[in-house]
Amino acid sequence: MKNYIYYLSILFATLLVASCENELPFNLKENPPKLVINALLNADSLTNTLYLNLTGRESTTNVKEAAIEVRVNGKLTESLRPLPPQTDNDNQCRFKLTSHFNPGDAIRIDAFTDDGEHHAWAEVIVPKRLEKIINIDTLTVPITQSGYTQNYLRYRITFKDHSNENNFYRLIVDKQITATQYNDEKGEWVTQTHHDYQFIAREDIVLTDGQPSTGDDEDSGLFDTAKNLYGVFDNTRFRNDSYTMTVYNRADPLGYSSYVDNVQVVIRLSSITETEFYYLKALNLIDSDAYDETFNEPIKFPSNVHGGTGILGVSTEVSQTIHIGK
C-alpha cells in the first residue's frame, strides 16, 4: 500500500477537493489560498498526526506559522504548535495530537495561521467500535495471478454489524515482518519490523461492491474496475447481520534476504466516518489502473472542512493477530 494514508496532503497538489455541501471548480488557479486540513485520527492510538497546508496555483504550499486547537465535546483539550522539521528539507507543517477519544465524542479541530488570514475548522463524531472479530479461519490455497500460480493464505473474517445504523468500515491486513539486517552506516546488526498492507479481495462481494471476479477475469481485462486497495465497505449487503469476509495475501516474507525473526498478520476492522469512507473510495479510483485522467471526469473528493478544504476523519477498531512464524 502506498503512503497516501499518512501523507494525504500530497494529493492536494494536483487534485480538486470538493466540499460535501459545495462543489469547488476543478481549476484552482482563480481561487485564493485556502487552508488544507488532513487528519485521519485513530481513537485507539495514543498519538495522531494532523497535516496543514495551503492550496496553491500549481501545488499545495507549506504553512510556516500556524496553530491548532482540539476540542472534545466542547472542552478545549489541546492547543498545539507545529512539530519541528524531521529533516533539513522538511517543510511540512504537522501537529502531534495526544487527546483521548471515545466512541460518541464530538471532536472539533480549529486551525489558524499566525497572520490572521486563515481559519478553518472541522468536526466529527467518533464512530462506535465493533464488539469484536468473531472468528478468523485461515487456509493455504493456490491463487493464480497474471498467469502464475502461488500459495496464498486465505482469511475468512467473521464479524457482526452494528444494529439499525448505516455503518462504514475499513479492513486493514497488516503483515509484519521482523528481520535483522546489517546497517553499514552504524556498523551493526539492526532488527526492524517491515509492514506490507497488500491483499486480494476480488472474490468478496462486499469488498468488490457487488462485482466479484476471478484471476481469469482480471487477466482478460473484462472487469477493468478500481481495486479496493484501502479496504473500505459499508453495511448495505449485511445490515443488522453478521458477515464473513474473504481475502488473501502472501504470508511468507518475500523480498527479505536478511534473517527473518518473525512473521505475523494483524487483521484490523475499523469503524470509520462516512466522509472518510467516500474519501478512501476516491483514492481507490485515483490509485487504480482503471482511472485515466485523459478520458475520465475529474474526481471530486469529499471534504468536511469549513473555511478551507481537506478531511478530518476518526476511526475505532478491533483486531486479531495471526502468528505465522519464521
Side-chain angles (χ1 to χ4, degrees), residues 157-160 204-207 238 241-246:
I157 306 159
T158 303
F159 61 97
K160 176 72 167 60
D204 190 88
I205 193 169
V206 168
L207 285 171
F238 57 93
D241 204 352
S242 60
Y243 181 70
T244 298
M245 181 168 288
T246 302

Side-chain angles (χ1 to χ4, degrees), residues 17 23 51 77 96-97 99 119 166 178 186 217 252 323:
V17 180
E23 291 187 357
Y51 300 90
T77 58
K96 180 181 178 181
L97 283 66
S99 294
H119 171 209
N166 295 325
T178 303
K186 295 183 177 181
D217 295 331
D252 51 330
H323 298 279

